[in-house]
Amino acid sequence: PAFGLGADYITGFPGETEQDFEATLEAMRRADFASSFSFVYSDRPGTRASGMADKIPRAEGLERLSRLQKWQDENTERILSGLIGGRARVLVEGNSLKTRMPGREDEELHSVHGREGHGFSVNLPVPPGSIPEPGTLLAVEITGAGRHTLKGRLAG
């Protein structure tokens, strides 16, 4: 089954060289991470790292973070776009309150959100009266992608 890898990164850790950072980017490319959480290093009182020498200037750490996040955003967009038109099994995590669309006040719409096999969040409309409970698996056709989420509809 499809799955996606994710990771957490800190750029600008004390002693990190440009070569270390480039090796991190290469590892990300090879692993083809679908998503990541990334931050620039900052001292935390009482931690071993706060007493380490070879601090990286914050501006340099932020510049590396920007490069890392740019690559990740582009890769995530590529992966999400590649899922459009396909089908996925989505595990429902929750549902929204009913909403009314402008100009269509007589039509009630509901939506649910869940996760597909890569771990991406999927949002999809569902007919009133048939709102699936959290924990339900749905067959979904992926119809669109945002920066970090997918849009879908119930597969027929």
Side-chain angles (χ1 to χ4, degrees):
F3 68 94
L5 295 175
D8 294 357
Y9 293 96
I10 297 174
T11 63
F13 193 82
E16 178 187 67
T17 65
E18 181 62 26
Q19 184 178 6
D20 294 334
F21 176 72
E22 288 296 331
T24 297
L25 289 178
E26 180 58 26
M28 289 178 70
R29 289 182 193 105
R30 285 178 169 222
D32 197 28
F33 286 118
S35 63
S36 68
F37 292 98
S38 51
F39 311 89
V40 67
Y41 172 81
S42 62
D43 280 336
R44 297 288 188 262
T47 63
R48 288 177 57 191
S50 67
M52 295 175 82
D54 298 331
K55 300 284 190 210
I56 305 300
R58 183 159 178 82
E60 189 173 339
L62 287 168
E63 188 275 330
R64 289 176 183 171
L65 178 64
S66 178
R67 284 191 283 157
L68 184 145
Q69 290 177 337
K70 181 180 184 298
W71 180 87
Q72 186 62 71
D73 287 346
E74 291 169 357
N75 200 54
T76 300
E77 181 180 343
R78 178 189 59 79
I79 291 170
L80 288 172
S81 294
L83 296 172
I84 296 171
R87 291 182 177 239
R89 288 175 38 128
V90 173
L91 178 64
V92 175
E93 294 180 328
N95 55 60
S96 72
L97 299 173
K98 65 183 177 181
T99 58
R100 302 225 185 253
M101 299 201 45
R104 299 173 78 180
E105 286 76 16
D106 60 327
E107 186 176 331
E108 290 184 357
L109 295 175
H110 293 76
S111 66
V112 298
H113 61 273
R115 303 253 174 207
E116 53 78 66
H118 291 90
F120 290 116
S121 181
V122 180
N123 298 299
L124 60 141
V126 293
S130 63
I131 300 171
E133 293 294 320
T136 304
L137 278 173
L138 300 176
V140 172
E141 180 182 344
I142 304 301
T143 60
R147 277 192 77 190
H148 301 284
T149 61
L150 294 164
K151 296 175 187 172
R153 66 173 168 240
L154 294 174

